[in-house]
Amino acid sequence: MRISLASDSLDGIAPILMPEIRKRGHTVIVHGAMADERADWAWCCSRAAEDVASGAADQAVVCCWTGTGASIAANKVPGVRAALCVDAATAAGARRWNDANVLAISLRLTSAPLLEEILDAWFSGSTSSDETDLANIAYLSEIEN
């Protein structure tokens, strides 16, 4: 898969994100502090989300100090369902029940071992085929503004 990656700084786990994603066989498109472009969280994280919405990337991973700003910025892009995940169970649930296509991570809270667990759960996850889950996901597109 093509994964768009954005971080507003190179703090915490930021330096190991690209190698961890590549280790799982994905191609990485970088934004923000990892590239030669504006690194503020709203700008770089929305750019990564725009990659997903346009089809330039299949999914994205966006990061800032808390992960909150990264998820807010990504969720402003139509067609994006970003989930702030602090553990593997949340990442698996976000993929399964929400068909989340952007993973938001806190640079401050996430350790290297926890990052590995989150990425494994995220990339091995798939969307539920349950009618109720699919109806909820479809409704998000209806209410998008």
Side-chain angles (χ1 to χ4, degrees):
M1 277 194 296
R2 295 160 299 156
I3 307 299
S4 189
L5 173 61
S7 182
D8 67 347
S9 74
L10 297 177
D11 295 312
I13 53 148
I16 64 170
L17 277 163
M18 189 174 352
E20 284 294 331
I21 294 169
R22 283 185 173 156
K23 181 170 84 174
R24 288 159 177 78
H26 306 296
T27 302
V28 180
I29 304 162
V30 293
H31 295 288
M34 299 175 179
D36 187 24
E37 62 184 37
R38 188 166 183 169
D40 299 286
W41 59 266
W43 278 264
C44 69
C45 295
S46 64
R47 292 222 34 214
E50 288 166 359
D51 285 349
V52 174
S54 72
D58 301 297
Q59 295 180 2
V61 177
V62 296
C63 309
C64 67
W65 191 241
T66 65
T68 305
S71 64
I72 291 169
N75 276 317
K76 293 293 183 181
V77 177
V80 167
R81 292 171 304 283
L84 175 55
C85 299
V86 297
D87 58 35
T90 304
R95 291 287 301 124
R96 179 166 179 74
W97 298 305
N98 311 124
D99 191 25
N101 51 14
V102 175
L103 169 63
I105 299 177
S106 167
L107 295 174
R108 180 180 74 83
L109 291 177
T110 311
S111 66
L114 183 56
L115 174 66
E116 289 185 27
E117 293 172 10
I118 291 169
L119 292 177
D120 287 344
W122 181 267
F123 289 125
S124 67
S126 61
T127 306
S128 169
S129 60
D130 180 83
E131 287 183 30
T132 302
D133 295 333
L134 295 173
N136 277 296
I137 294 163
Y139 182 64
L140 293 175
S141 295
E142 291 177 32
I143 63 173
E144 214 166 44
N145 49 13

